[in-house]
Amino acid sequence: MTRAGGALLVVGDVVTDVVARHRSPLARATDTAAEIRTLPGGAGANAACWAVRSGTNEVRLLGRVGTDAADWHERALRRAGVRPLLVPDADAATATVIALVDGSTERTFLTDSGAALRLSPADWSAGLLDGVARLHLSGYLFFAATSRETACRALRDARDAGVPVSVDPASAGFLTELGADRFLAAAEGAETLLPNADEARALTGRGEPESAAAELSRRFPLVVVTLGASGALVAEGGAVTARVTAPPVRPVDSTGAGDAFTGAFLAARLAGAGAVRAAGAGCRAGAEAVTVVGGRPADGPADG
């Protein structure tokens, strides 16, 4: 049960995004014209910013960053209203993602996880849960041994403290490399799972999102599968219980749409909303997110 008036703690990735929007197909071995911007990002950090935008008064973010960009990211998070709990890493650069956004606004990521997946158990303390009503774990943490151990410890401590935990599986590609069984075992005990359709398929082997959502809800009390412009599915107890639509918009960049959904969904849950109403809030935020470049709210920080 969510603790009324408590904070949201996000444990996840803080990333420097290089977003390259190209209208024509990539021309191999030569130039392709593009609009390129460098922006603060990361699934965990983006979700935290969207939770603030969606009305959560206190949002904290634990993540590991390189000393190369730590100050820039801390300033960006503070301007967005997030309380950063950043661990500087002198031995690894801040995670960097190159997001290639094509003419259909679909994005393809080139990912250097850098310091993000070096978040270690020494960076975590059960005391970080003081005053916290919900804990959210970015699935990227599960894709390296050190950060996976940290995520599992945070999940266990949260359960012991009676704090509900949500997990975003984050990446269908990385899920396939890790293996569905290993991911599901590590995420066991989470109250809510928030995959997109591709991630739900990767975790279950089921071709249809509805079937995958139902299957996952036999392992997790609440599963919400995002479907992009088609909205989201809510599943509980082995069955899809609702389908939520997304408002139509003219997209420019799909980067961070799922993070926006997550942030708004969690903000609504903290405010006492049921799963369906929270999914509706998530869909509205996701639709807003695709109308701006990058993964943060339009009125959030754009540059350092």
Side-chain angles (χ1 to χ4, degrees), residues 13-293:
D13 48 324
V14 179
V15 175
T16 299
D17 282 346
V18 180
V19 181
R21 299 167 62 214
H22 57 98
R23 290 190 172 86
S24 59
L26 294 175
R28 190 170 184 271
T30 186
D31 295 305
T32 301
E35 297 176 7
I36 301 174
R37 295 183 68 189
T38 300
L39 301 164
N46 291 345
C49 292
W50 280 98
V52 173
R53 169 66 178 272
S54 301
T56 302
N57 290 328
E58 186 176 357
V59 181
R60 309 168 190 173
L61 173 69
L62 174 65
R64 197 171 180 95
V65 295
T67 54
D68 58 322
D71 290 344
W72 181 61
H73 279 290
E74 178 151 348
R75 290 195 303 270
L77 289 165
R78 288 192 183 281
R79 287 200 304 273
V82 175
R83 178 184 169 191
L85 306 171
L86 301 185
V87 180
D89 191 321
D91 298 320
T94 300
T96 301
V97 168
I98 298 175
L100 304 175
V101 183
D102 64 21
S104 71
T105 73
E106 186 55 82
R107 81 288 187 273
T108 300
F109 293 152
L110 299 175
T111 302
D112 179 348
S113 297
L117 300 192
R118 288 163 55 90
L119 189 72
S120 75
D123 301 326
W124 170 259
S125 165
L128 292 170
L129 294 168
D130 290 348
V132 168
R134 279 189 171 268
L135 170 67
H136 177 69
L137 301 173
S138 169
Y140 281 109
L141 298 176
F142 292 81
F143 301 135
T146 298
S147 54
R148 183 166 58 249
E149 182 183 354
T150 308
C152 289
R153 185 169 297 185
L155 196 161
R156 184 181 65 244
D157 287 345
R159 289 199 69 194
D160 289 346
V163 175
V165 181
S166 55
V167 176
D168 164 21
S171 168
F174 287 166
L175 281 173
T176 300
E177 291 181 19
L178 177 66
D181 289 344
R182 291 182 70 190
F183 181 89
L184 291 169
E188 185 176 356
E191 177 221 39
T192 303
L193 191 71
L194 298 166
N196 65 25
D198 288 339
E199 292 154 7
R201 293 186 188 102
L203 288 170
T204 62
R206 302 293 184 92
E208 295 300 321
E210 292 84 357
S211 178
E215 178 68 23
L216 288 168
S217 73
R218 295 185 177 95
R219 299 189 64 132
F220 301 92
L222 175 63
V223 175
V224 183
V225 177
T226 56
L227 306 172
S230 297
L233 300 170
V234 178
E236 298 176 85
V240 172
T241 55
R243 182 171 190 134
V244 181
T245 60
V249 294
R250 186 183 296 275
V252 298
D253 176 15
S254 60
T255 303
D259 307 332
F261 180 98
T262 295
F265 176 88
L266 294 174
R269 293 289 278 165
L270 275 166
V276 175
R277 183 178 166 194
C283 285
R284 290 189 293 275
E288 180 183 346
V290 302
T291 65
V292 299
V293 177

